[in-house]
Amino acid sequence: MEGLENIKFDYKLVEIDKVFPNAWNPKVDDPENYAEVVKSIKNYGLSAPITVRIKDEGTFEIIDGFH
């Protein structure tokens, strides 16, 4: 794809309290499903990293992998 050669990708661990869902995500989870996802992550971890972008100084917005 044209133009992708200029995109920089980086992998690093960040504090979870600095990561926020994006406001334009049309998907809404019910609280019960959300609680199950949280429990699964705590028990088993993530199987793949989430994709974020820098939102403000020191905070990150999830753009993929919210679920």
Side-chain angles (χ1 to χ4, degrees):
M1 299 179 124
E2 189 174 321
L4 289 181
E5 62 275 359
N6 294 326
I7 296 176
K8 180 183 176 203
F9 293 94
D10 191 13
Y11 295 91
K12 64 181 168 179
L13 295 175
V14 298
E15 296 176 36
I16 193 64
D17 62 343
K18 295 183 179 186
V19 179
F20 302 95
N22 64 58
W24 44 265
N25 186 349
K27 297 179 183 177
V28 177
D29 277 336
D30 63 88
E32 186 176 306
N33 184 38
Y34 182 78
E36 287 297 316
V37 171
V38 170
K39 182 179 174 183
S40 175
I41 292 170
K42 286 181 177 180
N43 289 335
Y44 306 108
L46 291 172
S47 59
I50 60 173
T51 303
V52 299
R53 64 180 169 187
I54 297 172
K55 180 70 174 171
D56 295 310
E57 185 65 33
T59 64
F60 304 88
E61 182 178 51
I62 300 170
I63 57 173
D64 188 37
F66 184 73
H67 300 284

